[in-house]
Amino acid sequence: MTAEMAAEALPLPPEVVDGEPVGAGTPEEETRRRRKKAAVLLLLGLLAMLVTIVIWYLIFRQPISPPIPLIPETQVPSYSTSIYGATNPYGIAVSPDGSRIYVSQTEGARVVRIFDAGGNMVGTMAPPETTGTDHVPVFVAIDPLTAEVYVTDRPMGSIYIYDRDGVYQRTLALVKPIAGWQPVGVAFDAAGSLFVSDLSGPTATVEVFDRGANLVRTMGEDNALSFPNGVAVDRDGNVYVADGNNGRLLVFDPAGQLKAQVGRGTGQGNLGLPRGVAIDSQGRVFVGDATGQGVFTYRTLQNDKRTLDSVGFFGGQGAADGRFSFPNGVAVDARGRVYVADSANDRVQVWSY
């Protein structure tokens, strides 16, 4: 055998690629090696991406891609339905779950009608028989601690108290009676203090009573209130008053000092003849405007601003669904529904988000 023949007979060395012999070992071993390579390359790629993101953030202090935009909030509610059965409804209050809707009617039988969530009339709140005949129920409020219903009766100078189903319980007895008392608007704060707009005296005021019916504070004496109607209290204790004949919504702090106001006018959010006021859990303020033929919506007072941010308006004059004819009282429930006493249309409209 020649040297050339002997060299040809020797096995050739395996082909080497990237430091690994190709063709060495079984096919299964070759597959495992390739998978390991792919996994290592993937991990190195991810590590490089992470390092790039960290370096970008350290340099620019902002994400590489723009932030995901927030879902825009619906500014005003949409019309849902109407409840009929009350004549010239004025004041309105709603239990948190919406299962009881209390509506005062100022014409015909001057009583408060009770409706369930489906709009069915389930009861009536009549004034006590021993108090005369010249009754006009005006505004209605629910005590957050007892669920009792308070109804103002301006001509009689009284506030009547009923249970959830409309059974008369008693008449509010002030510890110190107020001469010529004319209660109109009525509201509670979360602690159960009672707020009443009062037309008696040389100037109208808003009075605050504790749980024992003691007068603890009076606000508005220096603000020339003219026929204040609805009252509402936000979570910070600020008091919102519809100063009706002045075309204003006034906001007082818990100590009774004027903090902000919305005035009369034709600009965005300006009022005409504000009547009812309600505040929902999202910090929206709803004001029923009898001559504006709808409901103005604002944000509750923010920081030290002297006015409220206008959110929008819903309604418009008419008798069709979603239209109003001299709206007055406004109420909200815990599920975000807004109830409006559509007075001249003899109905309550329900709006929701």
Side-chain angles (χ1 to χ4, degrees):
M1 180 183 295
T2 67
E4 289 80 3
M5 294 175 63
E8 289 177 359
L10 292 173
L12 296 173
E15 182 183 357
V16 176
V17 177
D18 293 336
E20 291 288 340
V22 177
T26 66
E28 291 79 4
E29 291 172 342
E30 184 67 23
T31 300
R32 284 197 294 270
R33 280 196 294 270
R34 289 176 178 172
R35 287 178 178 173
K36 287 179 181 178
K37 273 187 193 176
V40 170
L41 291 174
L42 178 61
L43 289 174
L44 289 174
L46 292 174
L47 180 61
M49 289 176 59
L50 180 60
V51 171
T52 301
I53 292 172
V54 170
I55 293 173
W56 180 281
Y57 179 78
L58 291 175
I59 295 174
F60 299 104
R61 289 294 193 273
Q62 63 181 11
I64 294 176
S65 59
I68 298 174
L70 297 175
I71 298 173
E73 178 188 289
T74 302
Q75 296 298 301
V76 296
S78 300
Y79 171 81
S80 294
T81 189
S82 290
I83 299 171
Y84 291 88
T87 304
N88 199 43
Y90 197 96
I92 184 168
V94 183
S95 62
D97 62 0
S99 63
R100 286 292 183 271
I101 305 163
Y102 304 95
V103 184
S104 66
Q105 58 178 43
T106 56
E107 291 184 1
R110 295 178 175 179
V111 296
V112 174
R113 302 293 188 191
I114 309 173
F115 300 89
D116 64 15
N120 304 296
M121 191 181 302
V122 295
T124 298
M125 293 178 170
E129 296 179 355
T130 58
T131 55
T133 58
D134 191 20
H135 295 282
V136 179
V138 190
F139 280 97
V140 189
I142 300 174
D143 186 329
L145 305 185
T146 66
E148 292 178 315
V149 184
Y150 285 53
V151 180
T152 60
D153 186 340
R154 179 192 171 195
M156 300 304 298
S158 298
I159 295 180
Y160 305 127
I161 304 171
Y162 302 81
D163 69 11
R164 178 179 183 273
D165 297 317
V167 178
Y168 171 76
Q169 302 296 301
R170 62 194 181 279
T171 297
L172 181 67
L174 302 181
V175 172
K176 184 177 180 180
I178 299 173
W181 199 39
Q182 297 183 44
V184 180
V186 61
F188 287 91
D189 64 12
S193 296
L194 177 66
F195 296 75
V196 180
S197 61
D198 176 18
L199 305 187
S200 66
T203 181
T205 59
V206 174
E207 296 146 353
V208 186
F209 300 92
D210 65 15
R211 300 296 293 176
N214 296 284
L215 178 64
V216 295
R217 189 178 309 108
T218 301
M219 56 186 69
E221 303 101 318
D222 300 325
N223 303 109
L225 301 180
S226 180
F227 212 95
N229 273 245
V231 182
V233 186
D234 69 18
R235 66 183 63 183
D236 296 321
N238 298 310
V239 184
Y240 298 68
V241 181
D243 186 16
N245 288 0
N246 284 325
R248 303 182 298 181
L249 176 67
L250 303 183
V251 185
F252 298 91
D253 67 16
Q257 299 300 309
L258 183 65
K259 293 185 68 175
Q261 66 176 310
V262 176
R264 173 175 284 154
T266 58
Q268 181 181 9
N270 286 349
L271 300 166
L273 186 62
R275 292 285 177 81
V277 185
I279 301 173
D280 71 4
S281 60
Q282 301 302 309
R284 293 176 289 234
V285 183
F286 302 93
V287 181
D289 193 313
T291 58
Q293 305 298 351
V295 178
F296 289 91
T297 309
Y298 308 90
R299 285 289 179 195
T300 49
L301 192 62
Q302 303 295 317
N303 301 321
D304 294 324
K305 288 187 175 182
R306 298 296 298 174
T307 188
L308 303 181
D309 293 330
S310 175
V311 173
F313 171 87
F314 58 93
Q317 187 171 14
D321 290 346
R323 296 287 178 169
F324 294 98
S325 184
F326 298 99
N328 284 286
V330 184
V332 296
D333 66 18
R335 292 191 284 183
R337 291 176 295 196
V338 185
Y339 302 75
V340 186
D342 187 9
S343 297
N345 284 327
D346 293 331
R347 65 187 177 187
V348 171
Q349 291 195 36
V350 185
W351 294 64
S352 60
Y353 284 89

